[in-house]
Amino acid sequence: MSNSMNLLILLGKPRLIWLPLSLLAASGMGCTRSSQEPVNSSATSIPIGNPITDFDYRDVTSLMIIKTDPKTGESWTAQFQRKNPSPLPDDRSQWEIEAAPEGRALTDRVANKNLILHLLDTLRTLRVQARAPEGSLESQGLVSPAFALRAVLPTQEIEVKIGGPVPDGFGKYGMVGKSKDVYVLQGATLQMLTYIESFSSLRQRNWSDLN
């Protein structure tokens, strides 16, 4: 038999057997390390210049917002729910606060639908300007993102984390979905988020709001 096609194996003393290399390969013993390496996550990365998603903001049924102050580390989470079927014109859309920060009890749960709808609408403008250069998540402000958004639609969920600004000031570091890829994001969403100064910004203003 040819040595290139078979392997001599010693099994105790004095037994010798010949095994075809094809049999070893089939059993996995001949696999190289490269054949078992995980698939590169960049294979599913969002192409440069593309928006992070495409959807009709009127189809969103719920929205979760987490805001963290990068200076103090203080954070709050709020959940908002659309109360009528979709799609509807904006003037007929109704949104309410499903969960307030720290489980706070609210007598008035009417949400600021104009701010919520504008925020959801601008998510379609959020695009990948570039892949972020090498750096730690802490330096990019993504360990505790300034904002984390989760919008739920009947057929998909959209998640995005917004971190700190890039050095040149044109965009912010961000992550999309479950991917560990970090991008430089640009779009009208970044400006809209500046209007959410506190949880109160997301409540419908009225004269009787005492809490």
Side-chain angles (χ1 to χ4, degrees):
M1 296 184 181
S2 171
N3 289 338
S4 61
M5 297 297 296
N6 303 280
L7 181 66
L8 180 64
I9 298 181
L10 175 64
L11 298 177
K13 294 182 181 181
R15 298 176 58 195
L16 298 174
I17 64 172
W18 291 89
L19 289 179
L21 290 180
S22 59
L23 179 60
L24 293 178
S27 68
M29 294 176 61
C31 293
T32 63
R33 181 178 180 182
S34 60
S35 66
Q36 300 180 14
E37 290 178 354
V39 176
N40 191 336
S41 62
S42 63
T44 58
S45 296
I46 303 172
I48 304 302
N50 280 26
I52 66 168
T53 187
D54 183 26
F55 69 104
D56 187 337
Y57 72 96
R58 297 174 300 172
D59 289 336
V60 176
T61 59
S62 69
L63 172 67
M64 183 179 70
I65 299 177
I66 303 175
K67 181 178 181 181
T68 302
D69 188 324
K71 296 181 179 179
T72 65
E74 296 181 356
S75 178
W76 56 262
T77 302
Q79 182 87 22
F80 304 88
Q81 191 82 18
R82 196 191 67 227
K83 301 307 296 180
N84 45 13
S86 162
L88 286 174
D90 291 351
D91 60 352
R92 294 179 56 194
S93 179
Q94 299 175 13
W95 284 79
E96 76 171 21
I97 302 164
E98 183 178 22
E102 302 176 349
R104 186 192 316 171
L106 302 175
T107 57
D108 186 355
R109 291 185 170 273
V110 180
N112 183 346
K113 74 172 185 180
N114 290 330
L115 181 54
I116 289 175
L117 291 174
H118 278 88
L119 175 61
L120 292 174
D121 191 22
T122 63
L123 278 178
R124 297 181 298 176
T125 73
L126 199 60
R127 66 185 185 279
V128 173
Q129 180 65 20
R131 290 183 63 87
E134 292 294 328
S136 67
L137 293 180
E138 183 177 5
S139 67
Q140 295 164 340
L142 289 168
V143 172
S144 298
F147 281 96
L149 309 175
R150 180 173 180 265
V152 178
L153 294 87
T155 59
Q156 64 173 315
E157 294 183 2
I158 302 167
E159 296 184 16
V160 59
K161 299 175 182 178
I162 306 295
V166 297
D168 62 10
F170 294 100
K172 292 190 175 183
Y173 295 113
M175 302 175 74
V176 181
K178 304 298 183 183
S179 173
K180 295 182 180 180
D181 292 329
V182 179
Y183 303 102
V184 175
L185 300 178
Q186 292 183 349
T189 304
L190 305 182
Q191 179 62 35
M192 282 301 304
L193 291 174
T194 65
Y195 295 110
I196 305 178
E197 298 178 353
S198 66
F199 170 65
S200 297
S201 304
L202 293 158
R203 303 187 65 184
Q204 182 65 42
R205 300 179 183 276
N206 57 67
W207 294 105
S208 62
D209 186 10
L210 301 178
N211 53 16

